[in-house]
Amino acid sequence: MVSEDEMRREKGYKIWRFFVFSALGLFLFFVPVTMSGTTSIMLDHIVTVIHKVFGENIQYYTLAIVFAGTLLPFLTKTWKQSAFNLLFTSFKILGLLIGIMVVFNIGPSFVLDENMGPFLFYSLAINLSLLIPLGGAALGLILGYGFLVFIGVLLEPVMRALFKTPGRSAMDAMALVGSYSVGLLITNRTYKEGLYNRKEGLIIATGFSTVSVTIMVVVARTLELMDYWVLFFIVILLVTFGVTAITAYLPPIRKEQKIYFNDKNNNIEENYEGNILQYAWYKAKQQSHSSRPLGEDVWMNFIEAMKMTASVVPSVLSIGLIGLIAAEYTDVITWVSYVYYPILYMFPLENVPLIAEAVTISIVEMFLPSLLVAEADIMTRFIVGVTSVSAVVFIRPDTCSVKYKFKFKSMEIDIRVVYPHSAVIVNRNTNRIINILRG
């Protein structure tokens, strides 16, 4: 039991950083600023300035990122650890070849078609190669100095009431929204420590494993939704939490066993005196002791973000091109998309076939839906953007399922999920996202 006196005695370490750095991080990500007649968040303005300063030369930087991402599996020797790793490394090699063909304008015409390779490279890959490192570095301002812990504690009663997960899962959920790599690692560690059972861990890992805020910015920028960025972000949060509140009570999650890792149940939550606001501030002050200096924190987050960028961009080019070719030259995506027609036609949507195809192709690569609807009306772009970002499972060269274990975005998680069950979760999420967006 944490007493009110103990909470008052906790002074924290350089607690001014909670206010200054958190405010700076929120400003960079969420405050619209008008510059040169364009209203957007500061992070997006910074990327625009970089584009203007370096011009066409920025494509060589992106190509270097693709090359580094392709070379990394060979330097770390991970390419030969399994058949999956070998396959995914092959996709990265293909991504490098596509990048070279686009930048130097050589290769087959179907790759150089302006709606194929160049569209992927110049509209998506370049933005990813800039936004992920910059956003990753800036995200530490929100994650590292107590703000995330403070909000997480305030959300604890919501987690218990809506999702039937322990109060501490609020901090995991907020970390997943801020940075899924951090959130998933925290969730997996907490599960292995016996603080979550398998059902609770599954709800948290799948229900709140949306992409990071930085990737949301890339999607919004690709779909020209930056004028509505704050609304876009809020709707994603509402949809993600709302859908999880429903799917947590439906099969297959509802039938998941409430067993603990190695039968070790240590699920005892900390009790406290006083109100929840006092306790949230106490936990934020506690976290301040483990916060790194700003320069070190920004640099560490930047390095991690660069690694992620090198992993993501080659796969976007390869899987993205394969998906675009499948959508353009075959009827496979169209046939599969028919399953969504009954749901979509319940609402007054103008582009039902296009939305259905975009939702279908999202399980292949979460960026592809944005590319398919980039020229559509704003309602279609908004719905598809939210749906693709809110999906909990999709295939990418750094994501795979082996022996019922998932690698969520490059990390193996010990919470086991049978793949067909994950597809059921995705499909139900998609249906409810459309319902929520349409009111």
Side-chain angles (χ1 to χ4, degrees):
M1 173 69 73
V2 182
S3 66
E4 290 187 69
D5 184 58
E6 184 178 346
M7 287 191 276
R8 283 193 296 268
R9 287 200 308 268
E10 177 61 66
K11 300 298 182 183
Y13 175 70
K14 295 183 178 179
I15 200 63
W16 61 267
R17 297 183 300 178
F18 171 87
F19 299 100
V20 176
F21 295 160
S22 298
L24 179 59
L26 292 172
F27 172 73
L28 288 172
F29 278 100
F30 298 110
V31 178
V33 177
T34 301
M35 294 178 62
S36 303
T38 302
T39 301
S40 187
I41 58 172
M42 276 305 301
L43 185 63
D44 188 44
H45 285 308
I46 292 170
V47 170
T48 300
V49 170
I50 293 174
H51 271 289
K52 290 180 178 179
V53 170
F54 292 97
E56 293 184 357
N57 293 322
I58 203 73
Q59 64 183 337
Y60 301 110
Y61 156 75
T62 301
L63 187 61
I65 291 291
V66 174
F67 176 76
T70 306
L71 187 62
L72 196 60
F74 295 99
L75 295 178
T76 58
K77 302 186 186 303
T78 56
W79 68 273
K80 59 182 179 180
Q81 289 181 353
S82 69
F84 282 102
N85 283 16
L86 179 60
L87 176 63
F88 300 159
T89 302
S90 300
F91 278 120
K92 292 185 178 182
I93 294 172
L94 177 60
L96 175 60
L97 294 176
I98 293 168
I100 291 172
M101 286 189 280
V102 170
V103 171
F104 297 105
N105 197 32
I106 55 174
S109 58
F110 72 89
V111 174
L112 299 179
D113 185 309
E114 63 178 9
N115 294 318
M116 295 292 178
F119 183 60
L120 274 169
F121 191 87
Y122 294 109
S123 296
L124 192 56
I126 287 179
N127 284 332
L128 282 170
S129 66
L130 292 173
L131 274 166
I132 294 178
L134 291 174
L139 199 58
L141 296 168
I142 298 175
L143 296 176
Y145 297 95
F147 179 78
L148 195 69
V149 172
F150 183 79
I151 297 299
V153 172
L154 293 180
L155 286 175
E156 284 185 2
V158 177
M159 302 304 290
R160 294 192 197 96
L162 291 182
F163 313 114
K164 304 302 181 183
T165 57
R168 65 172 59 86
S169 63
M171 282 179 276
D172 294 26
M174 292 304 297
L176 284 164
V177 171
S179 172
Y180 56 68
S181 58
V182 173
L184 286 168
L185 287 173
I186 292 173
T187 301
N188 194 48
R189 183 185 66 204
T190 309
Y191 167 67
K192 294 179 73 173
E193 289 175 353
L195 300 176
Y196 297 150
N197 60 45
R198 193 162 75 184
K199 181 177 181 178
E200 293 165 345
L202 178 60
I203 291 171
I204 297 161
T206 60
F208 303 107
S209 182
T210 183
V211 300
S212 67
V213 176
T214 305
I215 301 298
M216 294 181 200
V217 174
V218 175
V219 172
R221 186 182 174 95
T222 302
L223 293 173
E224 298 183 3
L225 294 173
M226 289 308 298
D227 287 345
Y228 310 95
W229 161 246
V230 175
L231 176 64
F232 184 66
F233 178 78
I234 291 173
V235 170
I236 288 172
L237 285 188
L238 292 176
V239 167
T240 302
F241 277 69
V243 167
T244 302
I246 296 170
T247 55
Y249 294 89
L250 298 176
I253 294 179
R254 186 186 67 187
K255 297 181 179 179
E256 189 61 56
Q257 293 178 302
K258 296 181 180 180
I259 58 176
Y260 288 82
F261 187 78
N262 291 336
D263 295 323
K264 181 174 60 177
N265 182 358
N266 295 320
N267 188 14
I268 302 174
E269 294 198 23
E270 186 176 67
N271 294 318
Y272 58 90
E273 295 178 350
N275 60 59
I276 193 170
L277 191 61
Q278 289 176 297
Y279 184 63
W281 180 232
Y282 166 71
K283 298 303 288 186
K285 289 187 290 185
Q286 272 194 330
Q287 204 236 357
S288 69
H289 291 285
S290 60
S291 299
R292 296 178 294 220
L294 179 61
E296 180 184 348
D297 190 65
V298 169
W299 177 249
M300 293 296 292
N301 280 289
F302 177 76
I303 294 299
E304 288 300 313
M306 283 297 291
K307 292 178 182 178
M308 177 183 171
T309 306
S311 175
V312 167
V313 178
S315 70
V316 167
L317 290 174
S318 57
I319 299 298
L321 184 63
I322 292 170
L324 288 177
I325 290 173
E328 181 71 19
Y329 297 107
T330 75
D331 294 323
V332 174
I333 302 299
T334 302
W335 294 338
V336 178
S337 70
Y338 290 152
V339 71
Y340 295 106
Y341 277 37
I343 297 294
L344 295 175
Y345 273 116
M346 293 172 61
F347 306 98
L349 301 172
E350 295 182 6
N351 291 305
V352 167
L354 182 60
I355 294 174
E357 289 187 16
V359 170
T360 300
I361 207 169
S362 67
I363 200 168
V364 176
E365 165 61 58
M366 64 82 53
F367 289 112
L368 284 180
S370 300
L371 300 179
L372 287 183
V373 303
E375 304 298 325
D377 63 278
I378 187 169
M379 177 62 74
T380 299
R381 284 181 280 132
F382 197 95
I383 289 175
V384 170
V386 172
T387 303
S388 62
V389 168
S390 302
V392 294
V393 179
F394 52 86
I395 302 169
R396 202 166 67 201
D398 56 355
T399 308
C400 69
S401 172
V402 186
K403 295 181 180 177
Y404 307 127
K405 282 190 179 182
F406 263 99
K407 285 187 177 180
F408 287 95
K409 288 83 171 180
S410 304
M411 291 169 295
E412 187 173 88
I413 301 300
D414 295 281
I415 305 164
R416 300 190 174 195
V417 189
V418 181
Y419 187 82
H421 286 185
S422 69
V424 171
I425 296 169
V426 170
N427 287 325
R428 283 181 172 152
N429 279 0
T430 300
N431 295 340
R432 285 167 177 80
I433 285 167
I434 299 295
N435 276 278
I436 291 170
L437 285 177
R438 295 302 300 176

